[in-house]
Amino acid sequence: MPGLTAYVGFYEICSPKKGEHVFISAAAGAVGQLVGQFAKLMGCYVVGSAGSKEKVDLLKNELGFDEAFNYKEEADLNAAFKRYFPEGIDIYFDNVGGKTLDAVLLNMRVHGRIAVCGMISQYNLDQAEGVTNLMHLVYKRIRLHGFSVRDHYHIHPKFVEFMLPYIRQGKIVYVEDIVEGLESGPRALVGLFKGLNFGKQVVDVSA
Amino acid sequence: MPGLTAYVGFYEICSPKKGEHVFISAAAGAVGQLVGQFAKLMGCYVVGSAGSKEKVDLLKNELGFDEAFNYKEEADLNAAFKRYFPEGIDIYFDNVGGKTLDAVLLNMRVHGRIAVCGMISQYNLDQAEGVTNLMHLVYKRIRLHGFSVRDHYHIHPKFVEFMLPYIRQGKIVYVEDIVEGLESGPRALVGLFKGLNFGKQVVDVSA
């Protein structure tokens, strides 16, 4: 599922082109890590954000991202994007919404595309944060597209055909976070919202 | 220009289908009035909003909209959309942004499309209003697309070929607001931001 979500979101929703500038939030997550690797395979410049030093290291050292940063250490996200994308962002793969999306909008390039896969920063708020920079959709003619893998199950065979050679050749790696025993499930679920997991959070109930 | 903008925004950006439910803000404006008539020609159900009784009457009685309402008289826009679109909105042609866009998002249908032509409610604010309901982009897999007619000048011949027969047959009408004399220009410009104009605001400097 995360693999197909990443495939659909990047190739079908973002219409990527070689050399484009790609930003991915929650980039060490189950979907984000694959989007980043797909974008690198296409010859894009790829930056990811995550919530810990360990995740940032994983993105840069294991998953081949050009750059990565810990969003919790950035007091001014707009300044961070200006630093990592002095020429602007063509594609934003959005897993978090909220303040990150708002700052990205300021830094998008003309004809940019934003795939909205999730908005995890907003799920547990009583009142969602307001996004104030939507005027940039008009200034820069940006497409912002929410999607669900549920609408795209029919391309699963195409996805498998695409993925298998890369996995066999070791050109795509996939990090999972496995906890043991059903009793670990609730803690693992809460951890998702705190950003404690690396990649797909799996609970092994046979342990 | 307003004609080509309406044509591009509706046919190219909104991907309309027969029978879909269409909402247009600033519907008595230069672009909105044509979008509504295009949508009616396609067999859509069409509702427009405007800022005065005279404009609402124009939309319903002269331009063939199914329904129209004065947004200034609606204390709760969400309730207004529920009344006019009990089954939800497929296409929103957005000329105003802000609170209207936020309330529309609550009432969109799955796979809805929003063309963002302008956000006139936001132009003169020191700080844009926050849009809080963007999660619905994911829930309903909505596409929100800013556009500019500047990117689409090449389809002008196709547009003229499409429009001429309808205009000759009187199936599309076009309301303009003409003030006389260059000295009327500044007042007419300010009037645009106050919503005083009907359709395209023209200043006739030969008068």
Side-chain angles (χ1 to χ4, degrees):
Chain A
M1 275 275 280
L4 186 59
T5 303
Y7 182 82
V8 162
F10 185 61
Y11 291 106
E12 307 271 315
I13 305 293
C14 293
S15 315
K17 289 188 277 292
K18 186 180 173 188
E20 287 196 317
H21 298 189
V22 177
F23 174 63
I24 302 156
S25 55
V31 176
Q33 60 174 281
L34 288 174
V35 173
Q37 293 179 79
F38 293 160
K40 284 309 303 173
L41 286 170
M42 266 202 93
C44 295
Y45 166 74
V46 182
V47 179
S49 66
S52 72
K53 182 180 184 307
E54 291 71 25
K55 290 181 183 179
V56 168
D57 289 344
L58 175 81
L59 293 171
K60 290 205 284 191
N61 303 331
E62 307 288 326
L63 301 178
F65 282 56
D66 294 291
E67 296 285 352
F69 65 89
N70 182 346
Y71 69 91
K72 293 176 183 170
E73 292 178 350
E74 301 290 343
D76 181 346
L77 280 171
N78 180 26
F81 291 126
K82 297 232 173 326
R83 198 163 71 236
Y84 289 109
F85 293 97
E87 295 169 45
I89 300 167
D90 297 294
I91 290 174
Y92 171 38
F93 194 96
D94 186 11
N95 290 303
V96 306
K99 290 186 180 72
T100 306
L101 174 58
D102 221 7
V104 165
L105 284 165
L106 294 174
N107 291 281
M108 289 297 285
R109 279 171 135 172
V110 167
H111 297 143
R113 289 132 274 147
I114 301 175
V116 189
C117 181
M119 293 194 165
I120 199 165
S121 73
Q122 306 298 297
Y123 295 152
N124 289 337
L125 301 180
D126 291 333
Q127 168 70 38
E129 293 170 315
V131 171
T132 57
N133 296 321
L134 290 174
M135 270 305 303
H136 289 259
L137 296 180
V138 188
Y139 299 149
K140 298 165 187 165
R141 295 91 92 190
I142 294 166
R143 194 177 70 208
L144 179 60
H145 200 162
F147 76 101
S148 166
V149 70
R150 286 179 288 171
D151 295 329
H152 303 268
Y153 285 146
H154 59 281
I155 69 163
H156 192 264
K158 190 174 150 195
F159 161 68
V160 172
E161 199 179 334
F162 167 87
M163 278 292 270
L164 278 183
Y166 286 120
I167 290 174
R168 286 198 187 108
Q169 296 163 31
K171 287 190 178 167
I172 288 182
V173 296
Y174 191 61
V175 180
E176 289 187 326
D177 194 337
I178 301 174
V179 296
E180 296 192 344
L182 188 57
E183 68 280 8
S184 305
R187 195 158 42 85
L189 179 63
V190 171
L192 284 176
F193 289 95
K194 292 186 175 169
L196 300 180
N197 60 303
F198 278 74
K200 185 73 175 173
Q201 179 71 72
V202 177
V203 179
D204 179 359
V205 295
S206 71
Chain B
M1 275 275 281
L4 186 59
T5 303
Y7 182 82
V8 162
F10 185 60
Y11 290 106
E12 307 271 313
I13 305 293
C14 293
S15 314
K17 289 189 278 291
K18 186 180 173 188
E20 286 195 317
H21 298 190
V22 177
F23 174 63
I24 302 158
S25 55
V31 176
Q33 60 175 283
L34 288 174
V35 173
Q37 292 179 80
F38 293 160
K40 283 311 301 173
L41 287 171
M42 265 202 93
C44 295
Y45 166 74
V46 182
V47 179
S49 66
S52 73
K53 182 181 183 306
E54 291 70 26
K55 290 182 183 180
V56 167
D57 289 345
L58 175 82
L59 293 171
K60 289 204 285 193
N61 302 331
E62 307 290 328
L63 301 178
F65 281 55
D66 293 292
E67 295 286 352
F69 65 89
N70 182 346
Y71 70 91
K72 293 177 181 169
E73 291 179 350
E74 299 291 341
D76 180 347
L77 280 171
N78 179 27
F81 291 126
K82 298 232 171 328
R83 196 164 73 237
Y84 288 109
F85 294 98
E87 296 169 46
I89 299 168
D90 296 294
I91 289 174
Y92 171 37
F93 193 96
D94 185 11
N95 290 302
V96 306
K99 291 187 178 72
T100 305
L101 174 58
D102 221 7
V104 165
L105 283 165
L106 295 174
N107 291 282
M108 290 296 286
R109 279 171 135 171
V110 168
H111 297 143
R113 288 132 276 148
I114 301 175
V116 189
C117 181
M119 292 195 165
I120 198 165
S121 73
Q122 306 298 296
Y123 295 153
N124 289 337
L125 301 180
D126 291 332
Q127 169 70 40
E129 293 172 315
V131 171
T132 57
N133 296 321
L134 291 175
M135 271 303 304
H136 289 259
L137 296 180
V138 187
Y139 298 149
K140 298 164 187 165
R141 294 93 89 190
I142 294 166
R143 194 177 70 208
L144 181 59
H145 201 161
F147 76 101
S148 165
V149 70
R150 287 179 287 170
D151 296 329
H152 304 268
Y153 285 147
H154 59 282
I155 68 164
H156 192 263
K158 190 173 152 196
F159 160 68
V160 172
E161 198 179 335
F162 166 88
M163 278 292 272
L164 278 183
Y166 286 120
I167 290 174
R168 286 200 186 108
Q169 295 163 34
K171 287 189 177 169
I172 287 183
V173 295
Y174 191 60
V175 179
E176 288 186 328
D177 195 335
I178 301 174
V179 296
E180 297 190 346
L182 188 58
E183 68 281 6
S184 306
R187 195 158 42 87
L189 180 64
V190 171
L192 285 176
F193 290 95
K194 293 185 174 170
L196 299 180
N197 60 305
F198 278 74
K200 184 72 176 173
Q201 178 72 70
V202 176
V203 179
D204 180 357
V205 293
S206 71

